[in-house]
Amino acid sequence: FLYIYVLAPRLNPLNRADSFLKQNMIDEAILEYKKVLDDNPNDFVVHWKLANVLFDRDEVDQAVLHLEEVLRIDKFNYEVEKVAVERKLAEVYLRRGEIQKAFQNYYDILKQYPGDTESLYQAAFILLGQEHFELALRYFERLISMGEKDQEILFGAGIASYQAMKLNEPVEYFRDALALETRSDITNLAMAFALRRKRDFKIALNY
């Protein structure tokens, strides 16, 4: 009775790992999680937990191996949702500077979940950075149509539409962005250039 209900749970590596994690004993938790994987390499929950611990420690090269392993095993439950794994993997790729891999992950997520705002946001800014302005604008417009109207998204939409040679849209997006953050120097400057293109020189000068 004592072994089953008291000692065994304490000796279980997974329980010990979770306990160490709660006490912020990270190295000890990692060691226990690895013990579990030595006995059961296909434990997708432990791969997921270990990936998150390693990611938080900025050990992204190790984290990505465990995230990719979760997707290879292809089993999920209430603790480990596939979309969460794909999103975290994309985040790791971004941190490693692997932009194309990150975008592919966000694109794959959006094929399954077209309304995933985090993936839309990241994909929009990746496309903007890669100078795919028309496509970036479509992603920004989807975000805005879903009610996502923070300053960054509106500014991104303004830049994408400006670079896509639109005439009126940039001014509207920059105006909405400035309504949220009046003192943004970069947005005021962008608004001035957008108005200059429209030949509204006097208004542009104010910005």
Side-chain angles (χ1 to χ4, degrees), residues 46-163:
V46 174
H47 278 295
W48 171 243
K49 290 183 176 184
L50 189 51
N52 281 287
V53 172
L54 293 166
F55 180 83
D56 290 340
R57 279 169 56 117
D58 206 29
E59 296 181 30
V60 292
D61 292 337
Q62 290 299 311
V64 74
L65 296 176
H66 291 284
L67 291 168
E68 289 174 342
E69 193 64 11
V70 174
L71 294 178
R72 184 197 67 77
I73 295 167
D74 198 27
K75 290 182 180 178
F76 306 96
N77 63 12
Y78 71 97
E79 285 186 271
V80 187
E81 296 181 330
K82 186 175 183 179
V83 67
V85 178
E86 291 176 328
R87 196 183 291 126
K88 178 65 74 172
L89 187 56
E91 192 177 348
V92 174
Y93 287 147
L94 276 181
R95 190 173 289 190
R96 294 208 307 186
E98 297 179 89
I99 305 301
Q100 296 302 326
K101 281 187 176 182
F103 179 79
Q104 186 61 53
N105 262 54
Y106 289 126
Y107 182 76
D108 290 342
I109 292 170
L110 290 169
K111 284 194 292 187
Q112 301 173 69
Y113 307 99
D116 187 83
T117 55
E118 174 65 19
S119 297
L120 281 169
Y121 176 93
Q122 296 292 352
F125 277 103
I126 289 173
L127 289 165
L128 185 61
Q130 298 292 303
E131 300 186 356
H132 298 295
F133 302 121
E134 291 277 3
L135 191 53
L137 181 57
R138 294 215 299 265
Y139 280 71
F140 282 122
E141 286 174 340
R142 282 171 63 185
L143 279 166
I144 292 167
S145 71
M146 293 165 59
E148 300 293 322
K149 296 181 180 180
D150 68 19
Q151 194 272 341
E152 283 189 348
I153 290 171
L154 292 165
F155 177 78
I159 292 295
S161 59
Y162 180 85
Q163 296 288 12

Side-chain angles (χ1 to χ4, degrees), residues 169-205:
E169 289 91 332
V171 172
E172 293 170 6
Y173 288 131
F174 293 139
R175 182 180 292 118
D176 289 343
L178 285 168
L180 297 175
E181 195 172 327
T182 308
R183 291 181 172 272
S184 170
D185 290 340
I186 189 66
T187 310
N188 276 287
L189 185 61
M191 177 64 119
F193 276 98
L195 288 165
R196 179 177 176 274
R197 177 181 287 172
K198 291 187 66 179
R199 305 183 69 81
D200 291 336
F201 300 120
K202 289 183 178 180
I203 302 176
L205 187 58

